[in-house]
Amino acid sequence: MSQPAKTLAAGRPGAAGSVGAVETRYLDLPRPLRLDCGRELHPVRVAYETYGTLSPRRDNVILVCHALSGDAHAAGVSAAPAEAGTRDGFGAEERDGAGGKALGWWDGMIGPGKAFDTDRFFVVSTNLLGGCRGTTGPSSVDPATGRPYGPDFPVITVADMVRAQRAFLDALGIERLAAVAGGSLGGMQALEWAVSHPDQVDAIVAIASTHALHPQGVAWNAIARESILRDPAWQGGRYYGTGRAPDAGMGVGRMVGHITYLSAPALGEKFGRRLQHADDLRYTITEPEFEVESYLRHQADTFVKRFDANTYLYLSRALTYFDLARRHGGGSLARALADVEARTLLIAFSSDWLYPPSASEEIERALRAAGKPVSYELIEAPYGHDCFLLEEARQTPIIRRFLGGAG
Amino acid sequence: MSQPAKTLAAGRPGAAGSVGAVETRYLDLPRPLRLDCGRELHPVRVAYETYGTLSPRRDNVILVCHALSGDAHAAGVSAAPAEAGTRDGFGAEERDGAGGKALGWWDGMIGPGKAFDTDRFFVVSTNLLGGCRGTTGPSSVDPATGRPYGPDFPVITVADMVRAQRAFLDALGIERLAAVAGGSLGGMQALEWAVSHPDQVDAIVAIASTHALHPQGVAWNAIARESILRDPAWQGGRYYGTGRAPDAGMGVGRMVGHITYLSAPALGEKFGRRLQHADDLRYTITEPEFEVESYLRHQADTFVKRFDANTYLYLSRALTYFDLARRHGGGSLARALADVEARTLLIAFSSDWLYPPSASEEIERALRAAGKPVSYELIEAPYGHDCFLLEEARQTPIIRRFLGGAG
């Protein structure tokens, strides 16, 4: 586990390196996956990428878990042709999962000398179960019918996602994980790993995440799903091959999501109340009049081109279901965490109102009360939930230090 | 201006009286209304109610202005048959404008001995221009075609709403107003009155309002409108008489609005993460699983039965346009308020994140800097924007004191 000679200078771009060109690969799980809902899923294909080198003792594996709209392409430059999309340093959830884009969604965090240092660690990133970027999900073909599952895809949970990752790692011959890391829904997966596989995880890094989404977050997710479900083009979920898809409804859902990922002050700073046409009202109800209105439309239009509506429904449902205390502790978070053996790093952002610091603090308190090793870092930053994708420079020394790197 | 013998005991229901049975009346403006967009509107009918007695000198008139989904029925018991709807003390925006319901939307504030004391004042409430509860709006018949205006209705502004009110009061023979009062969009109208008719308004009460909606609020409104516009049943706004209406899209828009009217803690307290079926997941993506999901559906279903989608579009657009500084001050709020003569009372609620206290504080500072009489009251209350409808008991002594009552 050699350390790179250079020390990462946080905030100095170029100080750390890139993993270079990468390609998403695919692995078919050898056995059916038994799910929380009682059903079995088979076959299950997992899309994945790896960065760095697996140590001979196979003890340097970090599993990186993505958020709702992510994919396996977490770092490096995709070999796939780049789609439209830029890293503009704002509204970064947009990058999250922008499969086919040149740069991975967490490229600033994964690479030589970076937070998840590929000079030390073998970083594995999978598209999660239910996804639409290569891993089996609602848009995959149901072997029973020869057509895409659509609404016949089983309703999945975060625990099911972890089961799929466990089975995938088994197939790769990886037993233990040096760490599981992720933000948002990705952090939920990391927490679920620590609770359900305590003897197999040395450390977890849960960023801008929660042990259970608060009721307002449940509501936002419900609204986004409603918007898809109420779009006639959804067609009960059987829109594949019909030439129509619920782009209109998913676009609105994405707009809701997008605003919840950003803080009100960040939106204010970026757009203010600037008009599209220099301080001149056009008196229209159908066209964007404010810059922020035009931005929302653009975000929605871009998103629906790359994401499957049923996957949105299923993953949104899974993340609202996630509830460590209910599932593992009979309602008690402390009991749910009682068997955790992993060291835990929690990172939260002051302006994140969707996955607020209070959620991380509840986890911290419960772990601390149980005598578990836990570090909690609250980063003051203005960009809301999207900070977990934007504030790479400030997370890097924290994560490196936690993982035993140069800091 | 006799004072009632009894003193209002805030928080003691029944201490103040009801205005009793009321009926909405209608008045046709005698002349065309010239609008900001350059068009003229004619005919214009105004739906209104009055409570109390006009003094011989006509100097005791309070104009009450409603919010987005309101109507003229602000107080008392409507003579119209009651629709479904209860005052459950939560999610009260729902009551706002629930025309046909038994009780007016601000009944707790208007009546003998109440905040707007009908023993002293002659309270006038109109359905605003563009509305769908009796005042001319997009669902009214366009005399040019004999069919409802739909998208041909002119795009209106808050200043246009005030113009319609001004013309309506002229027709009633009322020149001056002792006060203009309202919450949210209603508060915008009160502010617009003070700025555009400084010599005709003695006082304004702007509650949970703003001089210009912040960019996140603009975004929420844009999302709600998008949801309507993208519903195929909207049919370019010409859905009247087709047997289809954009209920699906407006329902989602209303859900967005509803959540922005409430605070996250209030939602948490009311619903928590309780499941519909006692802690038992049903593994469904189409049906409500959490109580808050079911609540949202119910709110949407109730709302679309009583509200016109085009009115929603037009009023939402008007309230995002509203910008005192841009319109009246060349970008400067201080300049916009320079000619105000009315005494101003601003009330904000600590948990209101849609019309946050900071907005009222900006108005307070600008008025104070200009040497204008202004009172600002910040009420610590947990229910978010809906507080202006819920926290009647705590607003009452503030408003009574401001209006020179017993407090």
Side-chain angles (χ1 to χ4, degrees), chain A residues 120-145:
Chain A
R120 283 182 68 195
F121 293 107
F122 182 63
V123 178
V124 178
S125 168
T126 67
N127 183 211
L128 49 69
L129 186 68
C132 55
R133 309 291 311 180
T135 292
T136 299
S139 60
S140 304
V141 170
D142 179 353
T145 65

Side-chain angles (χ1 to χ4, degrees), chain A residues 82-88 94-95 98-103 298 302 306:
Chain A
E83 288 173 15
T86 56
R87 296 192 60 181
D88 65 354
E94 182 57 26
R95 283 186 291 145
K101 279 187 187 177
L103 217 51
H298 172 74
T302 307
R306 70 173 174 87

Side-chain angles (χ1 to χ4, degrees), chain A residues 283-286, chain B residues 39 137-140 142 145 147-156 229 234-240 308-311 313-314:
Chain A
Y283 298 103
T284 168
I285 54 166
T286 54
Chain B
R39 288 173 58 185
S139 60
S140 303
D142 179 354
T145 65
R147 295 194 307 269
Y149 281 100
D152 298 328
F153 194 74
V155 174
I156 52 172
L229 295 175
W234 184 60
Q235 305 169 66
R238 303 187 195 283
Y239 51 85
Y240 306 108
D308 175 58
N310 280 333
T311 281
L313 292 174
Y314 277 83

Side-chain angles (χ1 to χ4, degrees), chain A residues 295-379:
Chain A
Y295 172 78
L296 278 172
R297 280 207 181 169
H298 172 74
Q299 293 296 329
D301 293 348
T302 307
F303 184 72
V304 299
K305 286 187 191 128
R306 70 173 174 87
F307 210 76
D308 175 58
N310 281 333
T311 280
Y312 198 103
L313 292 173
Y314 277 83
L315 300 190
S316 168
R317 177 45 97 199
L319 72 84
T320 62
Y321 276 157
F322 184 71
D323 192 327
L324 272 185
R326 174 177 283 153
R327 181 187 180 89
H328 295 286
S332 156
L333 185 59
R335 269 205 300 279
L337 297 168
D339 294 332
V340 168
E341 293 183 25
R343 297 184 303 122
T344 299
L345 170 61
L346 306 165
I347 298 177
F349 300 93
S350 57
S351 58
D352 185 350
W353 56 284
L354 188 63
Y355 290 74
S358 56
S360 291
E361 287 155 15
E362 285 165 15
I363 300 170
E364 184 207 12
R365 271 197 302 276
L367 285 170
R368 212 173 282 288
K372 311 287 183 185
V374 54
S375 303
Y376 167 59
E377 300 278 350
L378 174 62
I379 296 179

